[in-house]
Amino acid sequence: MTMLPQRIDRDVVEKAMGRADKAGQYGAIYQDLLGFVPPRIEARLSVTGALDPVMVEIQERMREHGMYPKCFDVKTSQLMLFGMLLMDSSDAAVLHGIAARRAGASWEEMQAVVNLCFLFRGLSAANRGAETLANIAKREADTAARKAA
């Protein structure tokens, strides 16, 4: 099972729609948070960034404001986002799970979030949550193996 959708062809996008001047700048934020730029975010930054760069700027300012409140550290925010998205069965839950781990969340904390989802969403959330944690662990192991090689 793949965790992420297929990447866009940026050359095709640039030829059809133009170049997004700030895609790299905004992409760096996701690179820092996740270790990569997710394909759908790359698509938004490239397509909307070329066609309506003001909208991308508005979206990114809102995302930054909402995702990094002064009252929560990054780990807490990412754990909450992981849980909220898991409750909705959103495939974006994995991205916030990865971000939570990169921000220092333990496997125990991740499982506690899955358990909270289970209480209100049921066994499907427990199943999806466990699958997500397993896939994140695999991604971490693959990344560590590539760095060691």
Side-chain angles (χ1 to χ4, degrees):
M1 175 189 172
T2 62
M3 291 192 314
L4 302 173
Q6 185 176 350
R7 292 209 169 276
I8 62 166
D9 186 328
R10 290 179 66 187
D11 290 335
V12 169
V13 169
E14 286 185 12
K15 286 178 186 168
M17 300 167 203
R19 182 177 163 89
D21 293 332
K22 293 189 176 181
Q25 175 187 335
Y26 292 129
I29 295 163
Y30 295 92
Q31 182 71 37
D32 184 54
L33 182 66
L34 297 164
F36 63 99
V37 180
R40 288 186 185 141
I41 293 168
E42 179 183 42
R44 179 175 57 83
L45 296 177
S46 297
V47 173
T48 308
L51 298 174
D52 192 349
V54 172
M55 179 55 78
V56 170
E57 182 179 343
I58 292 166
Q59 291 167 343
E60 287 301 303
R61 287 184 66 211
M62 288 178 66
R63 180 202 55 78
E64 181 180 11
H65 180 78
M67 196 176 291
Y68 300 106
K70 289 180 176 39
C71 57
F72 298 128
D73 62 12
V74 173
K75 179 180 88 169
T76 302
S77 292
Q78 292 303 321
L79 281 167
M80 286 193 288
L81 288 165
F82 171 61
M84 289 175 200
L85 292 163
L86 188 59
M87 285 288 291
D88 281 346
S89 298
S90 172
D91 58 355
V94 70
L95 297 175
H96 293 280
I98 291 168
R101 289 281 298 156
R102 287 178 55 92
S106 68
W107 289 118
E108 180 182 13
E109 290 168 318
M110 299 289 286
Q111 181 62 50
V113 171
V114 171
N115 294 349
L116 289 168
C117 288
F118 164 74
L119 288 175
F120 295 95
R121 189 148 193 303
L123 203 52
S124 64
N127 292 341
R128 184 177 286 252
E131 176 188 42
T132 301
L133 297 186
N135 286 331
I136 292 170
K138 172 79 166 105
R139 183 180 183 86
E140 288 179 5
D142 290 349
T143 299
R146 279 193 303 276
K147 286 181 180 178

